[in-house]
Amino acid sequence: MGLALVMAALLVLPAAAQERGITPTEIILGVSAPLSGPAAPWGATARGVEAYLAYINEQGGIHGRTLRFEIRDDGYQPARAVANVRELVERVGVFGIVGMIGSANAAAVRDYMFRNEVVWMTPAVESDPWIGNPNITYLFVTYPNYYQEAKILARYAVEELGLSRIAVFYQNDQYGSNGLRGVRDALAEMGMAPVAEVSYELTDADLSVHALRIAQAQADAVVMYATPNHGAMMAAALAQQNPRPQILSSFTLADPIMARLAGPAWDGVIVPSYFPYPGTDEKVDRVLQILVERNPELANMAFNALAGVTFVEPMLEGLRRAGPNLTKESFVAAMESIQNWDGELLRGVTFGPGRRQGINSIFLARMVNGVPEPLTDWIEYPVEF
């Protein structure tokens, strides 16, 4: 009996060893992230994953395997993201990529990821590339939809705040254009249109002309899709206007670091979230404590660091459910078994054979002295992929 068990165990090991990124003792994951450049505050998502996986390893890992997490800096540049991902897949040999900040970056690596059947957990981008895409077998997303979020923000500005002159300030790429499209469509449904559509480039260092265009349009609200640095610059410029327009920002600018970047200009900004804010939920506070204990710098970037955990915590659940004989296929089957699952941060996560969009609700909050004060209950939007 004992000999039979030993032989069975030996037969399992070669199959596990042949799966990229899986060894008898380790699961290798990685990410290309903006640790520098105009989106550097978003790099805290990668550091959040790193700290949380360190905690998981301290608990013994998953089924006897620890999780190694390799981070590469791309400076928010697509060419660097491509080089990083190729290195992670071909040289490091990762099982999966966790995250990926930047719509242009994700677009640049998307086909490569699909061809190489790399598990991809929550690229932090718009949903358009995934809707109707037949190649997303190894993709799982727990990230809001920019287009649907923008529709919710525009409707809230009009229907709840009573504002009627809505402008859009947006980054000139897929990220910003999806926000713009959502605002346009929501306003059109109400018989309205934006009074100004103002784009910027990542290389822009002065936004005074952009702010002037919004002032000339007499906007009473501005929906914003920007990097943290550009969002702070525009908020400061808009704060000089009289009357000052109401800013409604994508959740990508929900981190308290915005209050330090923009100062008092960030007070009153309305931002969504897709998980409870620190200070409002005991489980969230406990996770933040775990992160800060392992990387004290994350205390200053709490929302972004926690967002990183939302990228990876459904993956950890999938790895647990897949069992010790881990392969890409057993992992996919395990992820597809997740139904209405509550993690430490995320709520109601659902995947399935025909579903890769794990969440479909957000709520809105108002920033006051860097602290979010919830304004709404959860607001649902359609499941599209």
Side-chain angles (χ1 to χ4, degrees):
M1 183 71 169
L3 179 60
L5 290 174
V6 170
M7 292 300 293
L10 289 175
L11 288 172
V12 168
L13 288 177
Q18 292 170 11
E19 188 75 65
R20 182 181 57 222
I22 304 297
T23 77
T25 61
E26 194 172 51
I27 301 170
I28 308 171
L29 306 173
V31 70
S32 177
L35 304 183
S36 61
W42 289 338
T45 57
R47 296 304 184 193
V49 174
E50 180 181 53
Y52 196 66
L53 293 184
Y55 164 73
I56 297 297
N57 288 339
E58 291 164 12
Q59 313 309 304
I62 296 178
H63 298 303
R65 293 184 175 99
T66 57
L67 297 115
R68 172 153 60 102
F69 190 53
E70 298 279 345
I71 303 174
R72 300 293 184 270
D73 179 21
D74 58 38
Y76 205 51
Q77 298 175 21
R80 290 175 62 182
V82 170
N84 288 344
V85 168
R86 289 184 67 95
E87 180 202 358
L88 289 167
V89 173
E90 297 173 19
R91 188 181 69 77
V92 178
V94 297
F95 176 71
I97 297 291
V98 180
M100 172 73 70
I101 302 289
S103 297
N105 291 9
V109 306
R110 181 175 63 237
D111 291 344
Y112 176 86
M113 294 281 286
F114 292 161
R115 282 196 310 272
N116 288 276
E117 298 184 345
V118 183
V119 171
W120 200 357
M121 287 300 307
T122 305
V125 302
E126 78 284 348
S127 297
D128 282 6
W130 323 131
I131 297 172
N133 192 320
N135 302 309
I136 58 175
T137 300
Y138 302 104
L139 174 84
F140 296 91
V141 178
T142 51
Y143 193 76
N145 180 314
Y146 293 145
Y147 170 77
Q148 297 293 345
E149 174 198 45
K151 292 188 73 173
I152 290 169
L153 290 173
R155 284 197 166 276
Y156 188 83
V158 175
E159 297 176 347
E160 301 299 327
L161 302 181
L163 305 174
S164 60
R165 300 187 62 80
I166 315 299
V168 188
F169 174 67
Y170 66 101
Q171 190 164 296
N172 187 24
D173 65 2
Q174 297 99 314
Y175 161 54
S177 63
N178 272 270
L180 171 64
R181 186 166 60 90
V183 174
R184 280 178 176 170
D185 287 357
L187 293 180
E189 291 166 3
M190 296 181 283
M192 303 167 64
V195 297
E197 299 176 356
V198 181
S199 67
Y200 76 93
E201 304 294 335
L202 284 171
T203 53
D204 289 344
D206 184 347
L207 299 179
S208 56
V209 173
H210 303 67
L212 179 61
R213 288 179 58 193
I214 291 173
Q216 290 172 337
Q218 299 180 330
D220 53 18
V222 178
V223 179
M224 183 181 293
Y225 279 77
T227 67
N229 290 340
H230 289 96
M233 289 166 58
M234 178 52 77
L238 294 175
Q240 304 305 311
Q241 297 182 11
N242 187 18
R244 173 186 175 184
Q246 172 67 56
I247 298 174
L248 301 97
S249 168
S250 168
F251 76 94
T252 55
L253 303 186
D255 196 276
I257 198 172
M258 293 303 301
R260 291 187 289 279
L261 293 174
W266 203 249
D267 270 1
V269 173
I270 293 173
V271 291
S273 181
Y274 63 103
F275 60 90
Y277 282 108
T280 67
D281 184 281
E282 290 183 1
K283 292 171 72 175
V284 175
D285 290 344
R286 171 58 184 154
V287 173
L288 182 57
Q289 180 183 352
I290 288 169
L291 302 185
V292 172
E293 285 174 353
R294 286 150 188 84
N295 184 346
E297 293 181 0
L298 296 180
N300 295 321
M301 296 171 281
F303 184 89
N304 288 332
L306 289 167
V309 177
T310 70
F311 299 173
V312 78
E313 68 170 348
M315 183 180 205
L316 299 177
E317 178 64 14
L319 293 171
R320 294 185 185 102
R321 295 188 185 200
N325 298 331
L326 178 62
T327 66
K328 288 197 302 292
E329 305 313 320
S330 69
F331 174 75
V332 167
M335 291 296 292
E336 290 179 344
S337 75
I338 293 175
Q339 301 285 313
N340 199 31
W341 174 79
D342 289 344
E344 296 301 301
L345 304 184
L346 293 170
R347 306 290 187 266
V349 178
T350 297
F351 294 113
R355 176 169 173 173
R356 290 297 185 267
Q357 179 183 334
I359 61 171
N360 66 309
S361 60
I362 58 175
F363 66 91
L364 306 186
R366 187 187 302 274
M367 301 301 292
V368 179
N369 296 321
V371 178
E373 297 184 352
L375 293 173
T376 72
D377 201 347
W378 292 97
I379 304 169
E380 291 191 357
Y381 54 86
V383 175
E384 297 177 288
F385 64 95

